[in-house]
């Protein structure tokens, strides 16, 4: 019996019906493109939320977080959007399923997570997708993968109240081990692109700058609004419709210099995602690595979502031997990823730690990530 099953049994007096999981993610490339109907290419982390679950007869959802050492009871009457606290991510999933017309019976849920929280690695999407996967199976629901991702995002957008795109939930649900997920956010189609860093002779270093990203909510919403305003002025439904060839004309048509920068980021980033997919297909590190650098420069100079710690981490990693590096995730802190020659990730991490100490920043944390499995049943 696993420790999680043990806790479940101690709390409920029964064995769980099963154990399910959903992972966090890093985004290899394609930032702030998802809500512009564009392209992104995340992969799942080995870090995940695991949930042991079983049915309850009283119509309530009793949710225990091993990480928080807390149990919360959610009755149908408690399913009101805007509920505070960690349990709102789980309650939001119940709410979203019921809104979509699914009959969701009461359940006991015991959760544990090793996805770093507040680091831009989608710990919340992992929680939503793990609970959704468990509840779907407990209730005998056959919901297609992309629909699961959309339901999890509904929980995030409408119940928790964070106006995100679909990338994180799609990654957590649909990624497969050994692949990056090329995701077309307009068509809602995906392509599993084989990505084994070892075949490129590199490892993917994920370094958490440990920067509290306090501005992330307001700044994220502002970027989204700016992009929609730019699309409106350009007479397109979404910036996805501006091609790389059409970028010059689009920039000329926009009077506001800030909107011009935002558009330039989104359009060039979409192009980089496609180029990165091609580089993965052909196994060309020489083509892949510079795309990460260009993506970072675009986020720093045009989209203006990086912060000094993140920029220092990227610059230091590059100077210490990384072949390409960029911030990953929503921005204003969080993690960078770097393609580092195999066996040298600690060396690069330690260089960044030294630079952070010199600059008076909090110590970073790092690990090496391999593309891992999306949500599923564990036991
Ligand atoms: C956050 C959001 C995603 C996406 C990224 C930026 O992770 O949840 O939907 O917009 O930021 O690429």
């Amino acid at each position: 019996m696993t420790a999680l099953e043990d806790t479940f049994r101690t709390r409920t007096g029964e064995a769980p019906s099963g154990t399910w999981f959903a992972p966090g993610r890093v985004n290899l490339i394609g930032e702030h493109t998802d809500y512009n109907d564009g392209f992104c290419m995340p992969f799942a982390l080995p870090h995940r939320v695991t949930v042991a679950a079983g049915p309850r007869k009283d119509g309530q959802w009793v949710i225990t977080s091993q990480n928080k050492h807390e149990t919360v009871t959610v009755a149908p009457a408690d399913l009101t959007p805007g509920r505070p606290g960690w349990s709102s991510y789980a309650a939001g999933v119940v709410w979203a399923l019921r809104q979509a017309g699914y009959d969701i019976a009461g359940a006991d849920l015991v959760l544990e997570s090793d996805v770093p929280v507040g680091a831009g690695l989608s710990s919340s999407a992992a929680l939503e997708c793990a609970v959704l996967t468990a509840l779907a199976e407990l209730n005998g629901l056959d919901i297609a993968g992309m629909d699961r991702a959309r339901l999890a995002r509904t929980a995030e957008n409408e119940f928790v109240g964070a106006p995100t795109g679909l990338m994180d939930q799609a990654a957590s649900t649909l990624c497969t081990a050994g692949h990056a997920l090329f995701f077309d956010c307009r068509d809602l189609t995906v392509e599993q692109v084989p990505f084994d860093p070892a075949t490129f002779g590199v490892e993917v270093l994920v370094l958490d700058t440990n920067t509290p990203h306090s501005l992330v909510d307001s700044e994220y919403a502002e970027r989204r609004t700016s992009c929609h305003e730019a699309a409106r002025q350009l007479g397109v439904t979404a910036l996805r419709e501006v091609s790389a060839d059409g970028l010059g004309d689009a920039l000329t048509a926009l009077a506001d210099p800030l909107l011009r920068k935002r558009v330039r980021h989104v359009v060039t980033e979409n192009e980089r995602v496609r180029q990165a997919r091609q580089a993965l297909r052909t196994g060309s590190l020489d083509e892949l690595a510079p795309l990460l650098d260009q993506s970072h420069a675009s986020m720093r100079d045009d989209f203006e979502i990086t912060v000094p710690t993140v920029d220092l981490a990227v610059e230091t990693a590059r100077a210490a031997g990384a072949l390409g590096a960029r911030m990953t995730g929503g921005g204003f802190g969080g993690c960078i990823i770097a393609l580092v020659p195999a066996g040298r990730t600690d060396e690069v991490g330690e260089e960044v730690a030294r630079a952070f100490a010199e600059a008076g920043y909090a110590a970073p944390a790092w690990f090496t990530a391999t593309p891992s499995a999306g949500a599923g049943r564990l036991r």
Side-chain angles (χ1 to χ4, degrees), residues 80-85 88-89 92 95 124 128 152-164 169 217-218 220-221 224:
T80 45
R83 228 184 107 86
S88 69
Y89 295 96
W95 178 84
S124 57
E128 291 152 4
R153 184 189 54 171
T154 300
E156 176 94 35
N157 290 174
E158 295 177 29
F159 196 87
V160 177
T164 64
Q169 292 80 8
D217 291 346
S218 57
Y220 186 93
R224 224 186 139 124

Side-chain angles (χ1 to χ4, degrees), residues 25 27 29-36 40 120-122 124-125 153 156-157 162-169 216 220 224 265 269 299 303 305 326-331:
R25 61 98 190 94
N27 188 17
I29 196 158
E31 225 62 81
H32 286 256
T33 46
D34 60 353
Y35 57 78
N36 289 300
C40 55
L121 299 177
S122 293
S124 57
R153 184 189 54 171
E156 176 94 35
N157 290 174
T164 64
L166 186 54
M167 172 172 73
D168 304 343
Q169 292 80 8
V216 70
Y220 186 93
R224 224 186 139 124
H265 167 72
E269 185 78 350
M299 292 191 286
F303 220 59
I305 53 172
R326 62 183 287 276
M327 185 186 74
T328 185

